[in-house]
Amino acid sequence: MQLTEIRIAGFGGQGVILSAMVLGKAASIFEKGYATVTQNFGPEARGGACSAQLIISDAPVAYPYVTQPDIMVVMSQEAYNRFAPELKDGGTLIVEQDLVRVTGLDKKKEIKVYGIPATRIAEGLGKKMVLNSVMVGFFTALTGLLDPDAVRKAVADSVPSNFRELNLQAFDKGFECGSTAAPDNVEAQLEAETVTEG
Amino acid sequence: MKADPRGVLTGEHFIDGDHACCEGALAAGARFAAGYPITPSTEVVERFAARVPTVGGTFIQMEDELAASITLQGGVWAGAKAFTVTSGPGFSLMMEHIGYAAMTETPCVFVDVQRGGPSTGLPTLPAQADMMQARWGSHGDYAVIALCPNSPQECFDLTIKAFNLSEEFRVPVMFMMDEVVGHMTEKVVIPPADQIEIVPRKHTKESVEEFQPYKTNGDLVPEIAHAGEGYRFHVTGLTHDERGYPNMTPQTQDKLVRRLQNKITSAADRIAMFEEAHLKDADVVVVSYGITSRVAQRAIDTAREQGLRVGKLRLITAWPFPEKKIRQLAGRVKAFVVPELNLGQMALEVERAAAGRAKTFSLTHAGGGVHRPEDILKVIVEASR
Amino acid sequence: MSTDLNTDLLNNDLLNTDLPDDDLVNPVEPFLRTDRMPHIWCPGCGIGTTVNCFARALIESKIDLQSLALVSGIGCTGRVAGYVALDSFHTTHGRAIPFATGLKLANPKLNVVVYSGDGDLSAIGGNHLIHAARRNIDLKVICVNNLIYAMTGGQTAPTTPDHATTSTNPYGTFEPSFNLPHLVEAAGAVYVARWTTFHVRQLARAIGEAFQKKGFSFIEVISPCPTLYQRRNKLGDSLDTMKYYKAKSKVKNGAPTSEVGLTISGEIIVGKFVDRERPDYQSMMRAQYVDSLGDRFVEPMEAEVCS
Ligand SMILES: Cc1ncc(C[n+]2csc(CCOP(=O)(O)OP(=O)(O)O)c2C)c(N)n1
Ligand code: SF4
Ligand SMILES: [Mg+2]
């Protein structure tokens, strides 16, 4: 678990902050690592946009901010436009594919792009609200950064008890998608699709 | 004395600094808080409001900070450990009662989660620009203690420390957080209650007849009694004698005000807490506190990778200022680099303590964000020359 | 009018009272810090009279002195805290009520009295006054209303009546003034009365009644400040003021508080204006917690934390 900078961004109500909390908790409480989550509390945090920064490491984290994210999860077009250029060369970009159209990525940076219709999957499970758990599952499988059991525990520990089961289902579903996803295919698929929402 | 287990949420938590501060207060035995909402501090009292009725205690949201800062002192004199929480604009309003607490020797804690100022400034963004206000903000001469946590874990640990110091010295303790530390989430380990040391109130053992509320026995800190215990004592913000009676003569004033100051300054070495690294071989020492210490850490690491002999001195106690430590270092280092989220406040203290024997580089920032580590690095390089 | 003029009172000798003669030992003495006498008040000042009435109320109502705490703000009246032999707190200007709130909430067994001036309570402390009344904090507030900021030399207060001359309105005031009973009733006080320093028995009785109430009680005492108010307004000395109080006071228990505003030399409506029941803050707080938290609710500690 070497020092990894992660940004998660989207809009309010998508569980952006909660996703960061779950992953951070998994790393630092249910595994032996360290994690620091900071949120953007600036005036821009009001209204739509919402973003969290998560640093995971096997040593205590001093500098708490993301400078060049290794991994970025974006769940809105606005967040994509704003943050995607920050990504590190060879970094990983995970998008909510129904909401984000991946355009203008610098090919030389060799960024691996993965997409998942997290909202649709969550709706399929009966509650749109759990899309963040779908995303967290997807993230866990794709990145291999954290022990899936630890993340599962963190999900269970972070959601209201009456929604625990549903969130775990959502996590599993996302994890399943992540286990089979291949970056290039997704990218091709993304480019073929027209995104109407944003 | 060990902590009352009812207030101690033993375990590992992934919480932010504001919440950790609240847990620290509960663990320290705080059972009374009065507050007035203000970003970015409100989460502390929100959590307290949710937790304290299940622990046994009271939270009241007052009509303003003038009220909150004196209501808590009523709570203290009724026997509770009490605190309030605010940020810049509210801290300004509380100054009157920080002075009252200093004058009446009311043990209590004022938490200031610093944001950008002056005035309403930057409600949601960080600064460290209340450091001098914490020391000097109320009129007249007095001394306080101020602590600067740099992580949620320290927000927990040092809040307990803040309460303990307030009880030991009967002094208001300023808990100087900043917005980043307040809103940053990390693991916080809360130990079992029997591993948390609590300083009990310095309650008098004198009989009702013998008790004098401001008489000291050698250690400069008088013993206290609470309302309702039969002592029928008097407390006033006027200059008072050992009986607590107003006595407005230069002699009484001199004796009282010097004692209020001396009880803190004479214990400065004991109160001083700092974290240090690489001081032995250092040419340059970065002096920082709060969130800035974590930004500086990155610059220090990079500088040392480049072979520069840089040391770190992180102030955990800001007041009383650990000037002895700086004075000692000034004899053997070239320079101090002092980054802080203000236009140069603690840098003045470093400069004063260094007394010209080492240079002081004040690395200012008006707040709203943190320094860029590379900017700190640049000054370290310059100072090393 | 039940009481005749009492010259002892006019002399404002704290150690004299008009209690029955069979009290050989001065009954008020045990309530005072005799080691702090003489007090600072001017001859003819009404504040001492109110303190006598207060002490008398404590005797008559058999109030337990150990559980009694008295809190003052700053002002001539604010000095009362320094003279009573009780747990007494002389706080900052305007903040007696929030300090008292802290005492009461942290130790509900305490009987907490706030004793302060009109300026302290209704100007700089006005916000705390209305909010404490709104919350119905169980406090007994005694407001000595001398219609002026006395301690600082006779400046205009929110209570100074129309056209009175003060040091800061040397050509006469023109601001409308507060009618304090009306204000605190509107804010939620459960007990509101007004007497003058002429009405010593009624005042003592009112203080006793306030001790029987649970909730925010407010007693306004119209009191002379011969030094700064009466003299400057050519209203004579304290004896003249007593005559005025006697002649122009009208007891109207239950009078609508909207009709009890004061003027510079007009009628003074006195009496018990409000006496009603409303759950006090701590009862409401407890009920709410019990309702929401059930078994998880833990009773607030009663000052056992630190002693
Ligand atoms: C913050 C502050 N502002 C101003 C003062 C000065 N001050 C002292 S007493 C007082 C007015 C007191 O008036 P009142 O409450 O009516 O009491 P009185 O002296 O008339 O009994 C003022 C303005 C102060 N002590 N503190
Ligand atoms: S100035 Fe007025 S209120 Fe103050 S003591 Fe003298 S007479 Fe009383
Ligand atoms: Mg007055």
Side-chain angles (χ1 to χ4, degrees):
Chain A
M1 208 196 287
Q2 80 191 103
L3 193 133
T4 308
E5 298 189 353
I6 302 157
R7 182 184 289 282
I8 305 179
F11 44 78
Q14 287 180 318
V16 167
I17 309 297
L18 184 58
S19 304
M21 294 295 182
V22 167
L23 293 169
K25 192 184 269 185
S28 64
I29 307 273
F30 296 106
E31 290 195 58
K32 294 264 166 285
Y34 295 86
T36 300
V37 175
T38 54
Q39 316 169 31
N40 280 8
F41 271 93
E44 74 275 14
R46 292 272 175 273
C50 186
S51 138
Q53 310 184 39
L54 164 66
I55 317 257
I56 290 177
S57 176
D58 48 12
V61 177
Y63 189 70
Y65 291 115
V66 163
T67 36
Q68 264 207 317
D70 301 279
I71 306 172
M72 189 178 293
V73 180
V74 288
M75 301 197 259
S76 75
Q77 192 63 38
E78 190 191 332
Y80 174 81
N81 296 344
R82 176 153 169 221
F83 295 116
E86 284 179 2
L87 258 167
K88 198 183 247 176
D89 289 3
T92 301
L93 174 66
I94 299 172
V95 301
E96 161 36 282
Q97 67 181 47
D98 289 352
L99 300 179
V100 180
R101 186 193 170 97
V102 177
T103 51
L105 268 190
D106 184 350
K107 285 268 187 275
K108 283 199 297 282
K109 285 179 94 175
E110 294 187 351
I111 286 166
K112 297 183 278 298
V113 183
Y114 298 89
I116 182 172
T119 316
R120 239 190 296 146
I121 293 172
E123 277 164 357
L125 289 169
K127 210 137 196 103
K128 192 172 158 185
M129 202 182 74
V130 298
L131 85 125
N132 61 307
S133 290
V134 176
M135 227 5 149
V136 165
F138 190 62
F139 176 102
T140 307
L142 275 181
T143 61
L145 192 66
L146 297 162
D147 173 8
D149 282 342
V151 186
R152 241 181 152 265
K153 279 188 200 149
V155 170
D157 195 55
S158 306
V159 298
S161 55
N162 46 336
F163 289 109
R164 191 167 290 152
E165 267 320 303
L166 193 61
N167 275 281
L168 288 174
Q169 275 175 36
F171 173 83
D172 292 341
K173 202 85 191 168
F175 190 83
E176 202 181 301
C177 295
S179 310
T180 52
D184 293 339
N185 300 345
V186 175
E187 195 175 2
Q189 182 195 329
L190 280 173
E191 278 170 3
E193 257 179 54
T194 323
V195 178
T196 48
E197 280 177 77
Chain B
M1 184 175 122
K2 302 298 177 194
D4 169 6
R6 278 177 295 187
V8 183
L9 207 62
T10 303
E12 294 189 340
H13 308 270
F14 197 62
I15 50 177
D16 71 15
D18 281 354
H19 287 86
C21 170
C22 173
E23 289 305 328
L26 286 166
R31 296 293 180 269
F32 190 91
Y36 188 81
I38 185 166
T39 306
S41 73
T42 313
E43 290 90 331
V44 184
V45 287
E46 284 173 342
R47 187 177 178 109
F48 195 81
R51 290 262 286 128
V52 82
T54 69
V55 169
T58 304
F59 168 70
I60 182 168
Q61 180 177 322
M62 293 304 292
E63 51 275 11
D64 57 30
E65 289 88 346
L66 295 159
S69 56
I70 192 85
T71 302
L72 83 95
Q73 298 187 48
V76 171
W77 285 98
K81 287 195 177 180
F83 73 122
T84 189
V85 180
T86 191
S87 185
F91 201 47
S92 290
L93 291 187
M94 290 182 179
M95 285 303 136
E96 177 183 23
H97 295 135
I98 289 171
Y100 188 75
M103 186 61 144
T104 56
E105 300 181 72
T106 302
C108 54
V109 174
F110 288 80
V111 178
D112 176 13
V113 186
Q114 296 172 86
R115 66 190 225 185
S119 191
T120 311
L122 299 168
T124 59
L125 297 172
Q128 298 176 306
D130 306 347
M131 297 307 296
M132 283 291 172
Q133 185 182 26
R135 171 64 187 87
W136 303 106
S138 200
H139 58 280
D141 281 313
Y142 63 100
V144 297
I145 296 172
L147 306 182
C148 297
N150 81 347
S151 67
Q153 181 69 53
E154 278 197 350
C155 288
F156 175 81
D157 297 338
L158 294 180
T159 299
I160 298 173
K161 186 82 189 169
F163 275 95
N164 283 348
L165 288 167
S166 79
E167 296 293 344
E168 182 179 349
F169 293 98
R170 282 190 62 181
V171 72
V173 174
M174 309 296 121
F175 197 64
M176 304 304 286
M177 294 169 55
D178 55 67
E179 185 275 334
V180 183
V181 166
H183 280 161
M184 166 199 286
T185 303
E186 290 183 334
K187 177 162 86 172
V188 173
V189 182
I190 301 186
D194 61 8
Q195 288 172 26
I196 299 175
E197 205 52 53
I198 298 300
V199 175
R201 184 144 301 164
K202 202 174 173 191
H203 196 278
T204 187
K205 286 164 202 70
E206 297 275 9
S207 65
V208 166
E209 294 72 33
E210 295 295 312
F211 177 64
Q212 294 200 10
Y214 291 95
K215 199 174 94 191
T216 54
N217 296 314
D219 69 348
L220 301 178
V221 183
E223 291 175 346
I224 199 168
H226 296 135
E229 295 174 341
Y231 288 92
R232 302 219 222 159
F233 59 90
H234 182 56
V235 171
T236 178
L238 289 167
T239 296
H240 45 270
D241 59 21
E242 294 184 337
R243 297 172 300 172
Y245 291 173
N247 184 319
M248 282 157 287
T249 62
Q251 293 75 18
T252 307
Q253 166 77 356
D254 185 85
K255 196 170 163 206
L256 175 62
V257 174
R258 283 187 199 280
R259 181 175 63 74
L260 294 181
Q261 178 118 347
N262 287 344
K263 70 176 177 180
I264 304 302
T265 50
S266 67
D269 287 348
R270 189 149 54 86
I271 299 169
M273 289 183 285
F274 33 74
E275 184 193 331
E276 50 182 75
H278 316 302
L279 290 185
K280 279 218 179 71
D281 71 341
D283 290 332
V284 171
V285 175
V286 178
V287 182
S288 60
Y289 53 92
I291 186 56
T292 309
S293 65
R294 296 180 56 161
V295 180
Q297 184 65 50
R298 180 174 273 196
I300 294 169
D301 292 344
T302 318
R304 288 195 74 86
E305 278 161 25
Q306 294 176 7
L308 295 172
R309 294 203 297 222
V310 190
K312 156 171 104 174
L313 182 68
R314 171 165 78 91
L315 306 180
I316 298 172
T317 312
W319 304 113
F321 184 73
E323 57 181 272
K324 194 163 140 198
K325 185 81 189 168
I326 297 288
R327 216 181 310 125
Q328 284 165 354
L329 285 170
R332 50 190 178 84
V333 305
K334 276 194 218 159
F336 295 101
V337 173
V338 190
E340 47 187 340
L341 299 181
N342 57 51
L343 300 189
Q345 297 192 8
M346 299 312 283
L348 292 172
E349 284 296 297
V350 174
E351 194 166 28
R352 185 178 63 77
R357 296 195 297 157
K359 268 177 100 168
T360 301
F361 291 80
S362 168
L363 194 51
T364 62
H365 187 305
V370 297
H371 292 79
R372 297 191 315 162
E374 50 274 34
D375 292 340
I376 300 178
L377 180 63
K378 217 184 291 169
V379 180
I380 293 173
V381 171
E382 188 189 333
S384 307
R385 287 212 190 96
Chain C
M1 269 345 80
S2 58
T3 322
D4 279 321
L5 281 183
N6 180 319
T7 43
D8 281 341
L9 282 173
L10 296 185
N11 291 335
N12 186 40
D13 184 344
L14 261 178
L15 303 181
N16 282 317
T17 81
D18 59 347
L19 279 174
D21 294 333
D22 50 356
D23 285 291
L24 289 176
V25 181
N26 188 311
V28 174
E29 203 162 340
F31 300 94
L32 299 175
R33 297 185 192 279
T34 42
D35 53 350
R36 286 215 62 219
M37 297 300 143
H39 57 76
I40 63 156
W41 295 310
C42 311
C45 174
I47 297 171
T49 310
T50 72
V51 174
N52 275 339
C53 295
F54 176 66
R56 176 174 167 157
L58 296 183
I59 299 167
E60 287 175 356
S61 307
K62 300 193 173 57
I63 303 295
D64 170 38
L65 298 187
Q66 173 153 338
S67 60
L68 185 64
L70 187 143
V71 186
S72 288
I74 303 293
C76 292
T77 313
R79 290 305 186 91
V80 168
Y83 297 124
V84 291
L86 300 169
D87 289 332
S88 57
F89 299 90
H90 184 223
T91 63
T92 53
H93 193 24
R95 319 300 170 206
I97 285 179
F99 185 99
T101 299
L103 273 180
K104 181 67 191 176
L105 296 191
N107 183 355
K109 285 190 202 135
L110 291 174
N111 244 319
V112 184
V113 174
V114 170
Y115 211 119
S116 215
D118 50 313
D120 185 85
L121 288 164
S122 76
I124 190 166
N127 202 27
H128 312 312
L129 177 73
I130 58 175
H131 286 284
R134 171 181 67 80
R135 296 185 180 108
N136 203 22
I137 309 270
D138 186 18
L139 301 175
K140 327 293 162 208
V141 180
I142 299 171
C143 173
V144 176
N145 185 358
N146 51 18
L147 311 170
I148 202 91
Y149 283 4
M151 180 63 115
T152 41
Q155 297 81 16
T156 303
T159 44
T160 308
D162 55 322
H163 311 303
T165 300
T166 71
S167 71
T168 46
N169 281 115
Y171 311 111
T173 57
F174 43 85
E175 295 180 11
S177 58
F178 265 149
N179 165 351
L180 294 178
H182 191 39
L183 178 71
V184 295
E185 180 188 14
V190 291
Y191 182 93
V192 182
R194 174 197 282 156
W195 298 100
T196 75
T197 49
F198 172 73
H199 301 90
V200 286
R201 288 176 194 282
Q202 294 90 330
L203 176 56
R205 201 180 311 128
I207 294 170
E209 277 178 8
F211 273 109
Q212 303 311 314
K213 298 290 293 186
K214 198 167 174 61
F216 191 85
S217 301
F218 185 87
I219 299 170
E220 180 185 32
V221 194
I222 309 299
S223 173
C225 169
T227 312
L228 296 163
Y229 179 78
Q230 268 75 17
R231 194 162 303 160
R232 187 172 269 139
N233 284 288
K234 307 199 167 45
L235 297 168
D237 59 14
S238 53
L239 188 60
D240 297 316
T241 308
M242 285 301 136
K243 287 180 181 155
Y244 161 57
Y245 289 170
K246 183 181 183 205
K248 291 289 184 87
S249 293
K250 204 171 202 168
V251 181
K252 276 195 191 167
N253 292 318
T257 54
S258 59
E259 293 167 14
V260 305
L262 298 169
T263 55
I264 192 163
S265 52
E267 199 174 63
I268 304 172
I269 312 282
V270 294
K272 178 167 78 179
F273 303 137
V274 176
D275 189 349
R276 59 184 169 182
E277 296 301 326
R278 212 158 70 79
D280 78 303
Y281 183 86
Q282 276 160 309
S283 314
M284 290 185 286
M285 179 173 76
R286 199 179 172 284
Q288 186 73 31
Y289 286 154
V290 168
D291 190 41
S292 315
L293 292 168
D295 291 348
R296 290 174 53 222
F297 172 64
V298 177
E299 296 286 348
M301 311 200 164
E302 295 179 357
E304 65 194 302
V305 190
C306 296
S307 33

